[in-house]
């Protein structure tokens, strides 16, 4: 018998001498328990729904000895295709982040000075109610602003604002996607889902699905490409989506509309569309045909920097693949002053491809089956007529408002003063353009309350900071989700572990304050009861949610509009928008070139990676190890012109602010463009991992806004880049 | 009686990798890898920006669980061994003395000295998870399911079926001088290919084998002297020398100048 070294060691007493570490010898001999630190306690499993970004993917928490050890994908969760991304995995690090807020804090020094006093919850809630009552008396209920993110309890902030009597609610959305929603709504009558999985040809412009993950689109894009779907990416930057695409065209930023109108020019003039479909389903083809004549591929090539032959070829390929072809609608549309019209051009090309409600095209919303829980808000006679940001742009979304315009109104005190601010699960100090101005806005407040998991920059500016539990520690209402053709589903959350520290869900906070303001009747329910009401039309949902962590509604996917009219004025898909015509807005997208970038200056573009959700994941220990601080992408030739070398620290400065960060010199960005990742360079030192690291996009970006819907216009920012001499 | 033993392996279609690093985060949490240390990675090819349409190929990887593992040969205590039951290369941490010999002996830089346990560490195909009936963490979480795991000696496994279907386009990423016969099998045109290095066998072990008369190189002698030498080596080298930290920047710099 041959005795290996291993067998010998096992047999000999040398093992004790060799095992100098702390691992018990016997434990180490057991097969499968090879690594230190694993206790032998059994795992239990609990369903949850991820909240590390907005996608709400299904996950399973593996719990051992009362500790969440691991989050795994829920294989039955079709919307996320049975996966969990890096951020989803890192949810554990959010839960156990030592920097979490632990108890209510009251500001003692000046705003942003960082002097806090720990106070008991009773005192905090009494104070919040008293201040809200105060502000209401002095400035009417509309003198209080409410801002919320997009998690499952955010809806209660809206409910509270409404019963308290304030119209002034801003969501995260006006810093994000409203221009795109506006454009597609005003073309099709609703905001579609993209059937990426079944599409044969996808043009992706102003979207970056292999980094800015959207489920199931990101995953479906790869699956579809494996089956032969062609992906054409237009992006000034070599993103991972560009890197994996069939074609990457480094388009001049802000010229997408020229490209889209040229595609339409080719498709219409070469009659590459389905005539019957256009006649039956669309409105304004004649006007549009006329409109696109001046936007030929040669014109677009001049504007976009993409050769005319390519534009013609792509138009023909796209039309040949139609209707299983699309201009991907994208999501992050907060880029230009005319973003709604830019995205209208995307929507219209989709319309002439005839892909609406068809496999591989754009899909209408499906029936999820969740019911609302209505209430009658009280009437307040002394309130002003409208939102504080009203009438600045023609087509704002009432429930989302415009953060940029609201901030201007707060600072000017016109049309009326806003002196109270409640913020939950959103961080405008870190995500809204012109941070200096948002700081001024906070300074203009008499009382500001922030409910969050961590001391975000916005919390750092508050008077009262209240600790919230993470999504793994609380019960949340049900929510309806749709993804591609994959599903229309219902999700909900239960706590997988008890809430840590003194954290309390925003629902409990608002319910308590409502009681103190004699509005208790509007919060006279538990989450459990609320969910029952939401699920009243779905008798099988509760069991499915318990068994699988998700309920699917087997509703129709395609052909929803077979015998239905479109929710537009013409009752058809509007190439020519009738409502815009009546409002003095261009009924069809008219191209205007973006502002010129002066020599040695750059247009700044920002973005998201698969490991960063803006500022909400910035202090996450695992994700921080994966990303490090952000860098400024600068083209090789531009860097040479400026005498900037690899590894240099640079200052990037706009008319509103500046930041310092390391440069990343690359051929993967145009010479006239720089890029940095969102989510770094915070003000709050209580984000200890990331404080002092990288640069904040909100400090540098200028505050342009979409002239139709008031969405922020982040890419209107022109910056200088200077080498910092090492000190 | 030729019942084939199991050989657990990972079959990777790297053309499906989007470099989202879900696998790295999942692995890190499942295995409590210390800050800055990783059991797996995603490498990438270097794009050629003079090409009409530049492309980048992303290539996920980890311990290759080789058929001919040089790390096993380099281990003086037998802590690192090829498990006969499932074909994995395993570290018995109770036997590991943290000498670090196995680290340069791996052509794939897949091993590191864990800065907390001071012992050799690497991917074990998530043995603890498999005991619970779960897939390895990287495979389970992967958005595009670029990684497929299973027993490639079992014709019914998904990994086997994938191999059979792609028989003509399998790629084993190896260093020509040290073909360790890896069980991380890539499909199609994976890249980069130039990153495996020549396995460096420990000088102390080499010296030992040349000095000691083969006739007296008994198991006892070899192991006993080997351990003594390695323990001394560890004391001199310290426990967290830079070489032992497998980090992302390391893999990136290694790739520079690689194929497009």
């Amino acid at each position: 018998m041959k005795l290996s070294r291993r067998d010998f060691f096992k047999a000999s007493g040398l093992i004790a001498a060799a095992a100098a570490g702390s691992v018990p010898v016997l434990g180490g001999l057991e097969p499968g328990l090879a690594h230190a630190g694993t206790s032998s306690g059994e795992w239990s499993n609990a369903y949850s729904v991820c909240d590390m970004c907005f996608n709400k993917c299904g996950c399973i928490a593996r719990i051992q000895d009362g500790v969440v050890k691991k989050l795994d994908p829920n294989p039955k969760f079709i919307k996320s295709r049975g996966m969990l991304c890096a951020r989803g995995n890192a949810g554990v690090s959010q839960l156990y982040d030592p920097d979490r807020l632990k108890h209510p804090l009251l500001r003692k020094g000046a705003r942003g000075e960082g002097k806090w006093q720990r106070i008991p919850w009773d005192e905090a809630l009494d104070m919040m109610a008293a201040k809200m009552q105060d502000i209401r008396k002095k400035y009417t209920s509309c003198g209080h602003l409410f801002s919320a993110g997009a998690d499952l309890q955010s809806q209660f902030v809206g409910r509270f604002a409404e019963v308290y009597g304030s119209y002034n609610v801003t969501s995260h959305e006006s810093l994000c996607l409203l221009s795109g929603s506006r454009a597609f709504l005003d073309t099709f009558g609703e905001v579609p889902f993209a059937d990426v999985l079944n599409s044969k040809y996808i043009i992706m412009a102003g979207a970056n699905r292999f980094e800015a993950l959207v489920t199931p689109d990101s995953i479906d894009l790869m699956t579809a490409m494996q089956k032969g779907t062609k992906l054409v990416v237009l992006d000034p930057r070599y993103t991972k989506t560009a890197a994996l695409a069939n074609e990457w065209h480094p388009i001049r930023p802000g010229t997408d509309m020229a490209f889209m109108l040229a595609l339409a020019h080719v498709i219409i003039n070469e009659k590459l569309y389905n005539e019957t479909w256009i006649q039956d389903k669309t409105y304004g083809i004649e006007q549009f045909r006329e409109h696109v004549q001046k936007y030929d591929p040669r014109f677009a090539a001049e504007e976009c920097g993409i050769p005319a032959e390519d534009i013609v070829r792509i138009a023909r390929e796209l039309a040949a693949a139609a209707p299983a072809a699309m201009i991907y609608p994208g999501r992050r549309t907060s880029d230009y002053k005319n973003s709604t019209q830019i995205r209208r051009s995307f929507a219209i090309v989709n319309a002439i491809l005839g892909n609406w409600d068809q496999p591989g095209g754009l899909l209408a919303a499906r029936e999820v089956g969740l019911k609302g829980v209505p209430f009658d808000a009280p009437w307040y006679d002394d309130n002003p007529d409208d939102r504080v940001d009203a009438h600045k742009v023609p087509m704002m979304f009432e429930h989302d408002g415009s953060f940029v315009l609201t901030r201007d109104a707060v600072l000017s005190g016109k049309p009326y003063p806003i002196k109270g601010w409640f913020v939950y699960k959103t961080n405008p100090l870190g995500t809204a353009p012109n941070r200096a101005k948002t700081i001024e806005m906070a300074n203009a407040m008499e009382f500001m309350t922030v409910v969050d998991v961590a001391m975000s920059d916005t919390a750092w500016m508050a008077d009262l900071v209240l600790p919230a539990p993470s999504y793994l520690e609380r019960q949340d209402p049900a929510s309806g989700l749709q993804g591609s053709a994959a599903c229309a589903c219902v999700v909900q959350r239960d706590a997988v572990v008890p809430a840590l520290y003194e954290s309390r869900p925003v629902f409990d906070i608002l319910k308590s304050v409502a009681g103190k303001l004699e509005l208790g009747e509007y919060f006279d329910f538990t989450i459990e009861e609320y969910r029952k009401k939401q699920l009243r039309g779905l008798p099988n949902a509760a069991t499915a949610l318990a068994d699988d962590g998700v309920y699917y509604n087997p509703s129709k996917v395609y052909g929803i509009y077979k015998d239905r009219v479109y929710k537009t004025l013409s009752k058809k898909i509007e190439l020519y928008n009738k409502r815009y015509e009546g409002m003095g807005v261009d009924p069809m997208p008219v191209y205007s070139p973006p502002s010129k970038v002066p020599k040695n200056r750059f247009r700044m573009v920002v973005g998201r990676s698969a490991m960063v959700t803006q500022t909400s994941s910035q202090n996450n220990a695992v994700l921080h190890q994966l990303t490090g601080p952000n860098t400024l992408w600068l083209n090789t030739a531009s860097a040479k012109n400026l005498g900037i070398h690899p590894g240099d620290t640079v200052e990037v400065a706009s008319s509103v602010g500046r930041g310092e960060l390391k440069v990343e010199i690359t051929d993967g960005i145009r010479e006239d463009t720089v890029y940095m990742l969102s989510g770094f360079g915070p003000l709050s030192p209580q984000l200890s991992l990331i404080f002092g690291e990288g640069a904040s996009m909100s400090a540098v970006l200028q505050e342009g806004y979409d002239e139709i819907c008031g969405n922020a216009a982040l890419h209107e920012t022109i910056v200088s880049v200077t080498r910092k001499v090492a000190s | 009686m030729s019942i084939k033993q199991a050989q657990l392996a990972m079959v990777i279609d790297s053309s499906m990798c989007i470099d989202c690093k879900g696998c790295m985060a999942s692995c890190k949490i499942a295995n409590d890898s210390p800050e800055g240390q990783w059991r797996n990675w995603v490498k990438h090819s270097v794009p050629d920006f003079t090409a009409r349409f530049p492309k980048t190929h992303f290539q996920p990887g980890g311990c290759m669980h080789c058929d001919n593992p040089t790390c096993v040969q380099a281990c003086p205590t037998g802590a690192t061994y090829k498990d006969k039951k499932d074909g994995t290369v395993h570290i018995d941490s109770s036997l590991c003395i943290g000498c670090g010999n196995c680290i340069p002996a791996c052509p794939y830089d897949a091993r590191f000295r864990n800065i907390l346990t001071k012992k050799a560490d690497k991917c074990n195909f998530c043995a603890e998870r498999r005991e619970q009936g779960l897939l390895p963490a990287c495979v389970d979480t992967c958005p595009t399911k670029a990684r497929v795991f299973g027993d490639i000696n079992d014709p019914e496994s998904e990994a086997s079926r994938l191999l059979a279907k792609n028989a003509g386009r399998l790629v084993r990423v190896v260093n020509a001088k040290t073909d360790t016969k890896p069980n991380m099998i890539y499909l199609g045109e994976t890249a980069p290919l130039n990153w495996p290095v020549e396995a460096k066998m420990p000088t102390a072990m080499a010296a030992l084998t040349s000095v000691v008369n083969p006739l007296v190189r008994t198991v006892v002698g070899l192991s006993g002297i080997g351990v003594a030498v390695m323990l001394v080596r560890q004391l001199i080298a310290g426990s967290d020398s830079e070489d032992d930290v497998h980090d992302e920047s390391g893999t990136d710099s290694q790739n520079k100048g690689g194929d497009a």
Side-chain angles (χ1 to χ4, degrees), chain A residues 600-604 632 650-661 674 676 695-697 699-702 717-724:
Chain A
N600 280 341
R601 297 183 72 196
F602 307 90
R603 183 175 301 277
M604 177 176 242
L632 187 80
V650 293
E651 178 189 76
V652 53
S654 71
S655 65
V656 302
R658 55 180 293 282
E660 274 180 33
L661 71 174
V674 292
M676 70 184 194
S696 162
M697 73 161 195
V700 180
L701 293 173
Q702 293 165 201
T717 306
I718 306 292
V719 297
S720 63
V721 179
T722 343
R723 178 168 173 258
K724 294 294 289 183

Side-chain angles (χ1 to χ4, degrees), chain A residues 19-214:
Chain A
S22 57
V23 181
V25 172
L26 286 176
L29 291 177
E30 280 179 28
L33 284 172
H35 86 267
T38 305
S39 105
S40 54
E42 281 294 299
W43 288 1
S44 63
N45 304 312
Y47 288 121
S48 190
V49 180
C50 186
D51 191 35
M52 295 298 286
C53 77
F54 53 85
N55 275 302
K56 301 180 180 70
C57 299
C59 59
I60 300 173
R62 313 281 182 203
I63 305 152
Q64 195 178 36
D65 303 327
V67 174
V68 181
K69 295 298 249 186
K70 181 79 179 70
L71 297 166
D72 281 333
N74 178 353
K76 291 191 176 163
F77 206 92
I78 302 173
K79 179 180 177 282
S80 44
R81 304 290 188 201
M83 73 91 202
L84 204 58
C85 76
R87 288 169 296 169
N89 275 281
V92 180
S93 303
Q94 185 196 66
L95 170 60
Y96 298 119
D97 183 355
D99 282 345
R100 266 184 64 172
L101 290 165
K102 298 177 180 68
H103 31 254
L105 293 171
L106 181 65
R107 178 168 67 83
K108 293 317 275 181
R111 259 188 225 286
E113 198 184 9
K115 289 188 180 154
W116 302 98
Q117 183 192 347
R118 176 178 176 173
I119 60 169
W121 265 106
D122 287 351
E123 195 182 315
L125 294 171
D126 283 344
M127 184 184 299
M128 199 177 140
K131 294 287 181 184
M132 281 186 160
Q133 191 64 349
D134 240 26
I135 280 162
R136 183 147 79 168
K137 274 194 191 135
K138 276 157 80 179
Y139 309 104
T140 80
S141 295
C142 285
H144 206 292
L145 172 66
F146 294 85
S147 300
D151 86 340
L152 297 190
Q153 290 205 7
S154 295
Q155 59 181 303
F156 293 124
V157 178
R159 187 184 186 101
F160 184 92
E162 208 169 332
V163 301
Y164 171 86
S166 177
Y167 320 139
N168 292 306
V169 177
T170 62
S171 68
H172 166 75
E173 266 79 346
S174 76
L175 300 169
C176 188
L177 53 76
L178 291 184
S179 304
S181 303
R182 184 81 266 163
F184 281 84
L185 190 67
D186 294 344
T187 307
F188 297 102
E190 63 168 290
V191 181
F193 296 86
D195 193 16
V196 172
L197 185 65
N198 298 303
S199 198
K200 301 287 172 231
Y201 201 102
I202 298 171
I203 295 180
M204 192 166 281
N208 177 17
R209 273 304 150 266
F210 288 146
E211 290 187 83
L213 303 180
V214 167

Side-chain angles (χ1 to χ4, degrees), chain A residues 3 5-6 8-10 15 18-19 21 23 25 28-29 31-32 34-36 43 62 69-70 72-73 81-86 89-90 92 210 213 219 222 226 238 240 242-249 310 313 610-611 622 625-626 667-668, chain B residues 13 15-22 25-26 28-30 35-36 38 47 49 52-56 58 72-73 75-78 81 90-97 117 128-129 131-132 134 137 140-145 205 219-220 223 227:
Chain A
L3 195 63
R5 274 173 276 163
R6 172 182 165 73
F8 166 76
F9 267 82
K10 285 205 160 167
I15 191 166
V23 181
V25 172
L29 291 177
H35 86 267
W43 288 1
R62 313 281 182 203
K69 295 298 249 186
K70 181 79 179 70
D72 281 333
R81 304 290 188 201
M83 73 91 202
L84 204 58
C85 76
N89 275 281
V92 180
F210 288 146
L213 303 180
I219 309 148
M222 178 47 75
Q226 294 287 321
Y238 185 68
K240 283 171 191 168
L244 291 164
N246 299 87
E247 295 183 18
W248 167 53
H249 298 276
D310 281 333
R313 175 181 53 82
M611 292 148 274
V622 169
Q625 287 175 62
L626 281 168
D667 289 323
Chain B
D13 188 342
S15 70
M16 290 166 74
C17 176
I18 59 172
D19 193 27
C20 71
K21 301 199 167 58
S26 187
K28 165 152 283 223
I29 292 157
E35 187 177 342
W38 307 88
F49 285 106
R52 175 150 155 76
F53 296 122
K55 303 255 192 308
T56 306
F58 301 105
V72 169
Q73 294 163 35
C75 176
T77 67
Y81 64 100
H90 210 78
I91 300 170
D92 181 338
S93 65
S94 70
L95 293 180
C96 178
I97 55 169
T117 65
E128 305 76 14
R129 287 175 61 87
E131 274 180 18
Q132 307 269 352
L134 300 173
D140 194 18
T141 219
C142 177
T144 61
K145 305 301 171 205
M205 293 283 284
V219 167
V220 175
S223 306
V227 168

Side-chain angles (χ1 to χ4, degrees), chain B residues 47-220:
Chain B
D48 172 12
F49 285 106
T50 63
R52 175 150 155 76
F53 296 122
K55 303 255 192 308
T56 306
H57 199 104
F58 301 105
Q59 183 188 64
C63 171
M64 304 289 200
H65 293 277
C66 306
D67 277 348
N68 179 25
T70 37
C71 53
V72 169
Q73 294 163 35
C75 176
T77 67
T80 283
Y81 64 100
K82 186 135 179 105
D83 191 305
K84 293 186 189 75
K85 294 190 298 294
D86 60 17
T88 60
V89 174
H90 210 78
I91 300 170
D92 181 338
S93 65
S94 70
L95 293 180
C96 178
I97 55 169
C99 70
N101 272 352
C102 58
I103 293 163
C106 170
Y108 300 104
D109 195 20
R111 291 175 163 255
F112 56 92
R113 190 192 277 125
N114 185 305
I115 52 178
L116 299 179
T117 65
K118 313 287 187 210
K119 297 187 180 222
D121 200 333
K122 67 160 192 85
C123 159
N124 65 350
F125 283 156
C126 285
E128 305 76 14
R129 287 175 61 87
R130 286 186 280 118
E131 274 180 18
Q132 307 269 352
L134 300 173
L135 281 168
C138 59
V139 176
D140 194 18
T141 219
C142 177
T144 61
K145 305 301 171 205
R147 295 172 183 256
V148 172
F149 174 79
D151 175 8
I152 51 170
N153 287 346
D154 169 8
E156 293 305 304
S157 78
E158 196 192 340
S160 272
R161 279 201 290 266
L162 200 59
L163 283 182
K165 214 174 91 185
N166 293 279
R169 50 191 291 268
L170 304 180
V171 177
R172 287 183 189 243
V173 178
V174 295
N175 176 279
K177 287 191 181 154
T178 327
D179 179 0
T180 55
K181 307 213 171 345
N183 280 307
M184 186 82 91
I185 305 162
Y186 294 93
L187 304 183
E189 296 175 0
T190 195
L193 292 167
N194 62 343
W195 56 273
V197 295
E198 194 179 338
K200 279 200 202 96
M201 299 312 277
T203 45
M205 293 283 284
L208 207 67
T209 39
S210 65
V211 170
V212 179
N213 184 326
L215 289 174
V216 297
R217 221 191 324 153
T218 61
V219 167
V220 175

Side-chain angles (χ1 to χ4, degrees), chain A residues 281-301:
Chain A
K281 305 282 187 185
T282 70
Y283 173 80
I285 184 66
E286 285 317 315
Q287 294 99 313
F288 187 65
R289 184 196 307 278
E290 190 61 34
H291 181 68
V292 296
Q293 289 315 311
K294 59 181 176 289
Y295 302 116
D296 64 19
R298 202 172 303 226
F299 162 84

